Amino acid sequence: MASLQSVLEQYFTVYHTPPFPADAYELVVDGMPLAVAGDLSEREVALLKTLAPQPASRNPWAQFLVGSGSIPANGVVRLVQFNTSAAPTQPALWLDALLSLFSGDVTGFWLTPTHAVVVEPQTATPLDQSGLLSILDTLDPDFDTQTRGYLANSGPSTPPCQRFLLKNNA
């Protein structure tokens, strides 16, 4: 029987070595990271997710938040969570667009295919609730998503954080 990797190579352009293109779908096959390039249909993405689920984020904050790592930094941070009604067809581009709308040095990652987190260090001028709402109003039409955002209080980088609903498209 053919391996999943050889089947993917018959139908798609497959990248074997990171860094992968921003629009590629990343997956792990037989313990090896791969990326499938191209404009994938929703059906193709669903099939890839079923055959080879995406690995958990390697971001230190993601590891900390799911309880499998230590706290990445000391200091005051604010967590902003974003939930999309469905997984964006181009999650890397969606996340890059989201992060570009923040001012300052932020980090972001996907915890699940529909749950992204932005870690915003304390700055002199953090985005307020209306600024974050503007981000969602900009992002959703561009990516055909419906996103809810949750804004945590700024505080020491230890959970739990109080959350405030920014937008609910329900």
Side-chain angles (χ1 to χ4, degrees), residues 68-167:
S68 63
S70 60
I71 193 163
N74 292 321
V76 177
V77 297
R78 178 171 66 171
L79 299 178
V80 186
Q81 300 178 52
F82 297 93
N83 289 23
T84 57
S85 58
T89 55
Q90 297 179 318
L93 290 177
W94 186 96
L95 187 59
D96 287 344
L98 172 69
L99 296 176
S100 73
L101 296 170
F102 281 83
S103 61
D105 187 26
V106 298
T107 185
F109 49 88
W110 288 99
L111 279 177
T112 71
T114 60
H115 183 178
V117 176
V118 172
V119 179
E120 183 182 33
Q122 183 179 23
T123 62
T125 56
L127 285 174
D128 61 6
Q129 187 171 346
S130 65
L132 291 167
L133 284 170
S134 295
I135 286 175
L136 296 180
D137 289 340
T138 301
L139 196 64
D140 281 342
D142 289 347
F143 288 90
D144 195 27
T145 55
Q146 292 182 338
T147 308
R148 292 182 297 169
Y150 298 92
L151 172 62
N153 286 332
S154 293
S157 51
T158 56
C161 296
Q162 184 178 358
R163 300 188 321 171
F164 300 97
L165 180 64
L166 292 173
K167 182 178 179 182

Side-chain angles (χ1 to χ4, degrees), residues 4 8 20-36 40 44-58 62-63 66 84 86-95 109-116:
L4 178 57
L8 292 174
F20 299 124
D23 65 341
Y25 181 83
E26 296 181 32
L27 60 152
V28 175
V29 175
D30 298 328
M32 300 294 295
L34 299 176
V36 175
L40 301 175
E44 291 168 328
V45 170
L47 179 62
L48 289 173
K49 285 179 182 178
T50 301
L51 294 174
Q54 287 183 297
S57 175
R58 291 183 190 99
Q63 297 299 314
V66 298
T84 57
T89 55
Q90 297 179 318
L93 290 177
W94 186 96
L95 187 59
F109 49 88
W110 288 99
L111 279 177
T112 71
T114 60
H115 183 178

